[in-house]
Amino acid sequence: MISFTRLLCGNCNSSNELRYGTDLHEHFNPVVVWNLTRRCNLCCIHCYNDSGKMRFDEELTTSESKRLIDDLAEFNVPVILFSGGEPLLREDILELGSHAVKQGIRAVLSTNGTLITPQMAKQIKDSGFSYVGISLDGLEETNDLLRGVKGAFIKALTGIHNCKQEGIKAGIRFTLQRQNYRDLENILNMTNKEDISRCCIYHLVYSGRGNILLGEALSIQETRKAVDLIFRKTIELCKMAPHKEILTVDNHTDGVYLYLELQRKDPLKAEKALEMLKRNGGNRSGSGIACIDEKGNVHPDQFLRNINLGNVRERKFSDIWMDNPHPLLNSLRNRKKFLKGRCATCKYLDICNGNLRARAEAVYGDLWSQDPACYLADEEIR
């Protein structure tokens, strides 16, 4: 994640230490994305997990899930992101979130928001979830088209309001692609108009059903225009509502681009931003990020589901992650010597760390090739 609010405006929040603390890229106690179900009441065309309205077998049971949480707590995992599918379709989701909080882990919920009634919002709060990220991929017409269900926008926005009513911090998750590119400014404006505390803008990753959207990825010029807009709107929002947070996710090129823009406009602020970006270390799939799927398989991140590092039904997560780990995990942790193409020669590798390997593999069939979503010119990175 690249916190535009933190890097441009200096505004801090409770999660900044996870991104810009000391020597983060050397630590292996990861934030865990737990896709604990593939069941979903929507059918989004870009779903990286290929979730849907069918029944998927072999989900971890409640008792297995609690044992996993205990192990994650013992391993000092700071955050579990409960995701899916739609995690609220798991009958035990509130019980599992509460168990994680009791074990000292921060519990975060990633949901489409359509099932968050006033009663559900109260239960989410009582369970101890500290943040709820709700997916909105455009204004009403665009969102409902991309999510495959008419009325999804209204229900998701209502879910945000229900969370706010209970005093739960809730934010928007917006995945940027060609079909919703023109809604980006309206979504950022809505963050202010609806008094929503956070807006996370995700760059499209070609994983799951997202693979079929390669042709819907933004061009280099469109991506630069989008990030320019985020840059400008973040500064505007900081002046009007300093407590709000704007972030981008799944493309560490944004950090380099932000630094280069600051160099032209505010060199002193640019150097401070560069220091924080280096501490963050760029993409940390396989070290600072881990994924566990609904069957207990462990992956380097939620997009590299084709890479199976082990299963928590057979070995503890902490052992899979640290005790004689999969050779590919070691390679990801020392990836700079394996990277190819523009990534291998980029002078900002300490900021980006080669970005997302899933996109490189999807486009070039090579995990170590350059990330095709890098939108910097050759002269900017040499």
Side-chain angles (χ1 to χ4, degrees):
M1 285 186 171
I2 305 295
S3 175
F4 274 58
T5 313
R6 178 73 175 101
L7 297 171
L8 289 177
C9 309
N11 297 355
C12 246
N13 65 59
S14 59
S15 59
N16 281 151
E17 190 61 27
L18 285 174
R19 301 185 196 109
Y20 306 115
T22 304
D23 294 329
L24 281 173
H25 52 292
E26 295 180 1
H27 295 167
F28 298 131
N29 302 100
V31 170
V32 171
V33 178
W34 186 1
N35 299 113
L36 71 173
T37 184
R38 286 178 65 192
R39 288 176 284 159
C40 191
N41 58 323
L42 302 184
C43 191
C44 307
I45 66 171
H46 54 288
C47 178
Y48 70 80
N49 200 19
D50 199 13
S51 300
K53 298 179 182 180
M54 64 285 284
R55 180 80 190 186
F56 294 93
D57 296 327
E58 300 182 51
E59 290 180 358
L60 294 178
T61 66
T62 301
S63 58
E64 287 174 326
S65 298
K66 285 186 174 181
R67 284 197 297 273
L68 170 59
I69 291 169
D70 292 343
D71 178 43
L72 296 178
E74 187 178 344
F75 190 49
N76 293 320
V77 163
V79 180
I80 298 176
L81 176 66
F82 291 86
S83 187
E86 174 46 58
L88 291 178
L89 290 177
R90 280 276 304 225
E91 294 79 4
D92 56 359
I93 180 62
L94 301 171
E95 183 180 353
L96 297 179
S98 177
H99 188 72
V101 172
K102 288 174 183 175
Q103 298 301 313
I105 302 175
R106 183 175 175 231
V108 173
L109 190 64
S110 177
T111 169
N112 62 46
T114 62
L115 304 177
I116 303 181
T117 61
Q119 181 183 11
M120 177 58 72
K122 184 178 187 309
Q123 292 176 314
I124 290 170
K125 180 181 180 180
D126 292 344
S127 299
F129 285 95
S130 62
Y131 177 73
V132 178
I134 294 178
S135 298
L136 278 177
D137 285 318
L139 299 184
E140 186 169 1
E141 183 179 354
T142 306
N143 179 82
D144 291 359
L145 175 66
L146 293 176
R147 300 208 157 260
V149 174
K150 191 171 179 58
F153 176 86
I154 296 298
K155 288 181 179 179
L157 190 57
T158 301
I160 293 174
H161 291 158
N162 289 337
C163 287
K164 284 175 54 187
Q165 193 67 31
E166 285 295 330
I168 306 169
K169 185 176 180 181
I172 293 173
R173 304 168 73 250
F174 176 93
T175 300
L176 189 61
Q177 54 179 287
R178 180 158 289 122
Q179 294 181 9
N180 63 7
Y181 169 63
R182 290 177 177 80
D183 283 7
L184 174 59
E185 184 166 11
N186 288 324
I187 287 291
L188 288 165
N189 288 336
M190 191 172 78
T191 300
N192 189 46
K193 180 182 176 183
E194 301 286 344
D195 194 24
I196 298 168
S197 60
R198 178 186 288 177
C199 183
C200 292
I201 298 131
Y202 290 71
H203 291 262
L204 181 66
V205 182
Y206 324 128
S207 177
R209 288 199 294 275
N211 253 326
I212 67 174
L213 294 180
L214 274 169
E216 298 300 325
L218 298 185
S219 68
I220 287 173
Q221 293 75 20
E222 288 170 329
T223 303
R224 290 177 80 110
K225 284 178 66 176
V227 179
D228 284 338
L229 174 63
I230 297 165
F231 191 110
R232 175 171 59 82
K233 297 298 291 187
T234 298
I235 293 172
E236 286 180 15
L237 282 169
C238 282
K239 292 176 181 176
M240 293 186 291
H243 62 286
K244 296 190 185 302
E245 187 176 19
I246 307 297
L247 307 104
T248 63
V249 188
D250 297 335
N251 195 338
H252 285 271
T253 306
D254 293 347
V256 181
Y257 188 73
L258 184 149
Y259 165 67
L260 293 174
E261 286 295 295
L262 281 176
Q263 268 193 323
R264 289 187 279 270
K265 298 172 181 177
D266 190 336
L268 181 60
K269 188 175 284 186
E271 292 312 305
K272 291 180 180 177
L274 180 62
E275 181 184 342
M276 284 187 282
L277 289 165
K278 284 184 175 179
R279 284 205 301 269
N280 177 268
N283 177 269
R284 293 186 288 134
S285 299
S287 56
I289 294 289
C291 173
I292 302 170
D293 69 23
E294 75 283 354
K295 297 179 181 180
N297 296 314
V298 177
H299 311 284
D301 64 32
Q302 63 269 42
F303 307 114
L304 290 170
R305 289 174 64 96
N306 59 314
I307 299 175
N308 191 347
L309 305 172
N311 189 286
V312 299
R313 283 173 164 145
E314 300 166 2
R315 295 178 70 200
K316 293 168 65 174
F317 172 85
S318 49
D319 290 341
I320 294 170
W321 203 245
M322 296 302 294
D323 182 18
N324 191 25
H326 192 288
L328 191 53
L329 204 54
N330 284 327
S331 298
L332 284 167
R333 292 170 182 174
N334 300 279
R335 69 179 71 178
K336 291 176 184 177
K337 61 186 177 183
F338 299 106
L339 293 172
K340 302 173 185 177
R342 281 161 37 94
C343 287
T345 58
C346 177
K347 69 179 180 181
Y348 295 111
L349 199 51
D350 285 346
I351 293 178
C352 179
N353 202 28
N355 223 338
L356 260 72
R357 299 295 84 219
R359 274 195 296 255
E361 187 174 48
V363 172
Y364 302 113
D366 184 349
L367 190 71
W368 304 113
S369 190
Q370 62 198 32
D371 185 337
C374 177
Y375 51 89
L376 297 173
D378 287 345
E379 57 268 23
E380 289 177 305
I381 65 174
R382 285 179 182 163

